[in-house]
Amino acid sequence: MFRTALRTVLAHKARLLMTVLAVMLGVAFVSGTLVFTDTLGNAFNKQSAKSYKDVAVSVTTYYADDQETDGKKQEPGLSPKVLDEIGAIDGVASVTPRVEGFAGVADPDGKLIGNGWSNTGTNFAPGENGKDPAYDFTEGTGPTEAGQVALDKDTASRGEYKVGGPVRVATNGPVKEYTLSGIFTTEDGAVNAGGSLVLFDPSVAQKLFLKPGYFQMANVTAAPGASDTKIRGDIESLVPKDAEVQTGKQLADQQAADIERELSGINQMLLAFAAIALFVGIFLISNTFTMLVAQRTKELALLRAVGASRRQVKRSVLAEALIVGLVASTIGFVLGVGLAVGLRSAMGQFGAKVPAGPLMITPVAVAAAFGVGVVITLIAAWLPARRAAKIPPVAAMSSVHAVATMKSLVLRNSIGAVLTLIGAAGIIAGAGVGKDGKLLIGAGAFFSLVGVIVLIPLLSRPVIALVQPLLNRLYGVAGKLAGQNAVRNPRRTGATASALAIGLTLVTGLTTVGVTLGTAIDKATTDNIKADYMITMAGGGGGLDESAVKALGKAPGVTAVSPQRASYLVIDGEDSFASGVTPGDIQQLLALKTETGSLDSLSGDAIAVASDTAKSRGWKTGDTVTVKYEDDKTARLKIGATYEPNEFTSPTLISTDLVGPHEERPHTPEVYVSMDGGATEANELALVDALGDNPAISVADQQDIRNQFGGMINTALNIMYGLLGMALIIAVLGVVNTLAMSVFERQQEIGMLRAIGLDRRRVKRMIRLEAVVISVFGALVGVGLGTFLAWAIGETIRGSIPGYVLVLPWERIGIFLVLAGLVGVLAALWPARSAAKLNMLTAIKTE
């Protein structure tokens, strides 16, 4: 029977090609994902181990301002005295202190090199030999004067900077010009992420990022034979309790775990889409084997007649599936390895520097690829194999294929109805629960999707019957035949449409949620921000310096300017987050709806609080509260106003004049500005000039702000569309496969139609219309289910997004349906051409 199965596969190579492609694509996704993440993980782990190879112990502090701990004044970092004490510990060979923060440089076009969060500045820390152990200089030397800096090699290359030449460096304050003293290579993670690294003289770095005389962290090297663990214990007794002290091995292990965790997220996302692709592929595979079994009814019945048992026939079909699965898995695995190599190269094109390392092809990746490919194929072929085993020997004497019994159809529809009802109930229940109903919705979505797929053959007849009159009127005989052919075999039509339905369910659901979120965010921005511009650090590179705020206030044409300073207060004994703002101006910049009192009171000894906060704390306008600032000083302030909660401000507003004197290093994430004439090119240029043409500072008008928030959603949707494209490609293959098999089965019928006058053009049209009808039917089912899921998901996030109202993206849904029709047309090209080229006399004689 195995030889029979092998011969059958070789005899039906063309028919099984689509199945091989479907399995191959899914396996390529799985194996490519595993090889890609294993390769990256290995490379980054080796880089991490190399980075900490000479580090015995690392000390990190997490405080930036003087504060008290247990009644004792705590220093803002590691002082020279503490560093000397660490250096005097027995077994310590050297101590390399560091202080770091945001620093960026521009490319030749004036744009920031990197993306903000990966633009770092730190100090040059030479040892006794004059070299910094963390950096290898390829040109020049490290900065030894206040007016010098050094750059990593990639940044210097992208910025076209030369040793001895000028470099304008942007921090969160004004841009300053330095002389480039040297260029170095490094294993620093920020640089490998596509960012930049600037080395300053230690005194300059301390002044910029912390406080003169203090460092945030230090790396300790050990003398030969010294115990890292003992050194760590000795250091712990010298530094504050909240300082983190780790051995080099602990650091390397922690970074490796962090890398694995980050890659795990990518891994799971890609594997989820691979699973979707393979799930869609199940329908294609099952459809293929069902049609092959139907076409070989006489052959299988003859095997039964000559003595083959049901079990042997079943094993024969499963053996065919096994061969197909192995071939597809082998090709798919090879393609997956190529995909992993391509993804790694693509990361470099996007500016991410991937450490060198070998391609990691682990036994797990190989086993997963072949296991998934073979198992999926066998599962999909199991039902067709079971049906094949039931073919009676007497069928060998008849050309009539085995048809589905009424009992089997009733059972199928009953199961589908029950699953669909269970799923719908779960989705509705999850939507009713709210933010905690996501698991219920997920489970309900699974049962609903399976139930609808089971019911699709039943749904196909009434739905296609609705469009039958339109087909008859527009396309005549070809349209009538296309509609009849589409419902002739409901199981086959259902299996083909199911693949498209799954893909369109996911695409429609994601699109509806994404568009709804984008609309809500866009409305919130428009309704709440009255300012012409929002000024921030590019790429989230930290807070703006006070000098930037003052410079904006002096820019020509500015009518109102207010920072939104992130402040921390203790009000009546409870921690509170506050926004430090400019009284009088803030009302012109943000749409703050006052409920009681007046925001003008902020200019005095008063604060304003959001109404929900006031209600929960039992406050009302006119009450006096005790406010404790960051420097532990206290004041008695009044509640001057309450306002409607606003997502663009903190629950408490306070004047910068009140909070400013108590903050040593104020943190200002954004500044809002309004100008005469609104947002114009001249006004934007005036602000850029006032900021010293700082490439690290972003000047965004209202449209830019809306794009900033909505752009993230659109980017996420585009990534999802790209990944779901795999499932849709497999769905297209399913339509091609179904039509090709249908044409093969109907050779005699098509020949007869040609003989009685149906010309080639109308034969092609008949096949194309059949494909379009099936494709659009599947798309309609997917759009309906996807919209239902989007509504339910929206109910779980409605409470956390003000102004959330479900928005149906009719234009995109229309595009999806048009694309589904186009899929049908493209999928029908080859089968329609084959049908039209059939020799009518030969076709009529075909059994």
Side-chain angles (χ1 to χ4, degrees), residues 566-642:
S567 300
Y568 167 77
L569 306 174
V570 178
I571 305 177
D572 280 352
E574 291 192 27
D575 295 343
S576 301
F577 292 101
S579 293
V581 297
T582 303
D585 285 7
I586 192 65
Q587 297 96 306
Q588 302 176 49
L589 300 166
L590 294 180
L592 297 170
K593 298 177 182 178
T594 307
E595 295 192 357
T596 61
S598 172
L599 291 174
D600 292 337
S601 62
L602 289 172
S603 58
D605 292 340
I607 60 174
V609 295
S611 55
D612 56 351
T613 301
K615 184 178 179 181
S616 66
R617 303 284 292 271
W619 295 333
K620 61 181 182 299
T621 302
D623 287 351
T624 301
V625 294
T626 301
V627 176
K628 183 179 179 182
Y629 297 107
E630 288 187 12
D631 60 359
D632 292 337
K633 292 182 180 180
T634 60
R636 297 282 289 172
L637 303 178
K638 287 184 178 181
I639 305 292
T642 62

Side-chain angles (χ1 to χ4, degrees), residues 714-735:
N714 289 331
T715 299
L717 282 177
N718 289 335
I719 292 172
M720 297 298 180
Y721 290 157
L723 293 171
L724 287 171
M726 178 75 73
L728 294 178
I729 288 172
I730 294 175
V732 172
L733 294 177
V735 178

Side-chain angles (χ1 to χ4, degrees), residues 653-738:
L653 297 180
I654 187 170
S655 169
T656 52
D657 292 336
L658 288 178
V659 75
H662 304 283
E663 296 177 329
E664 185 174 351
R665 300 179 70 88
H667 180 65
T668 305
E670 61 262 339
V671 178
Y672 293 103
V673 178
S674 282
M675 304 186 74
D676 278 329
T680 65
E681 187 174 342
N683 281 340
E684 182 175 341
L685 184 60
L687 294 180
V688 171
D689 288 342
L691 293 166
D693 195 17
N694 192 326
I697 297 181
S698 167
V699 178
D701 61 21
Q702 284 214 4
Q703 187 58 51
D704 293 330
I705 298 169
R706 292 156 68 183
N707 293 341
Q708 178 181 335
F709 292 109
M712 294 184 289
I713 294 173
N714 289 331
T715 299
L717 282 177
N718 289 335
I719 292 172
M720 297 298 180
Y721 290 157
L723 293 171
L724 287 171
M726 178 75 73
L728 294 178
I729 288 172
I730 294 175
V732 172
L733 294 177
V735 178
V736 174
N737 204 27
T738 297

Side-chain angles (χ1 to χ4, degrees), residues 21 70 157 168 226 244 295 305 322 474 490 497 499 505 514 551 620 645 681 752 757 765:
L21 286 173
D70 299 329
S157 175
R168 296 178 72 244
E244 187 173 9
Q295 291 170 11
L322 177 63
L474 294 177
T505 295
K620 61 181 182 299
E681 187 174 342
M752 190 66 71
R765 180 179 296 170

Side-chain angles (χ1 to χ4, degrees), residues 173-384:
V175 179
K176 294 183 179 180
E177 189 170 287
Y178 298 85
T179 299
L180 184 61
S181 66
I183 297 172
F184 58 88
T185 58
T186 177
E187 297 294 336
D188 187 274
V191 176
N192 285 321
S196 62
L197 181 61
V198 182
L199 295 185
F200 296 90
D201 177 75
S203 61
V204 174
Q206 289 172 334
K207 185 178 179 181
L208 285 172
F209 305 130
L210 189 58
K211 190 175 182 180
Y214 289 91
F215 293 92
Q216 291 166 323
M217 62 200 78
N219 289 334
V220 177
T221 58
S227 168
D228 294 353
T229 305
K230 182 179 182 302
I231 292 174
R232 184 189 66 184
D234 292 340
I235 291 175
E236 286 176 339
S237 65
L238 299 175
V239 297
K241 292 180 181 178
D242 54 359
E244 187 173 9
V245 185
Q246 295 174 288
T247 64
K249 185 178 184 309
Q250 287 175 324
L251 277 171
D253 291 345
Q254 178 182 317
Q255 194 168 82
D258 291 342
I259 291 168
E260 185 177 348
R261 185 165 52 252
E262 290 176 11
L263 291 176
S264 176
I266 299 173
N267 200 338
Q268 290 173 8
M269 181 182 72
L270 293 176
L271 288 177
F273 285 98
I276 292 169
L278 287 167
F279 185 55
V280 172
I282 286 176
F283 296 96
L284 190 156
I285 300 164
S286 181
N287 213 13
T288 301
F289 278 95
T290 297
M291 288 185 282
L292 285 174
V293 167
Q295 291 170 11
R296 291 164 49 208
T297 299
K298 292 184 69 174
E299 175 188 329
L300 294 172
L302 189 59
L303 287 174
R304 290 293 314 283
V306 298
S309 66
R310 286 188 173 185
R311 180 175 296 180
Q312 286 177 308
V313 171
K314 183 177 179 180
R315 285 178 179 174
S316 173
V317 176
L318 289 177
E320 293 176 38
L322 177 63
I323 294 168
V324 170
L326 286 172
V327 171
S329 297
T330 302
I331 300 171
F333 182 76
V334 173
L335 286 177
V337 173
L339 177 64
V341 173
L343 285 173
R344 183 172 175 175
S345 299
M347 287 185 68
Q349 297 298 318
F350 285 104
K353 183 181 175 184
V354 181
L359 195 67
M360 296 298 294
I361 302 177
T362 64
V364 172
V366 177
F370 280 86
V372 165
V374 172
V375 169
I376 288 294
T377 309
L378 289 175
I379 290 174
W382 184 79
L383 277 176

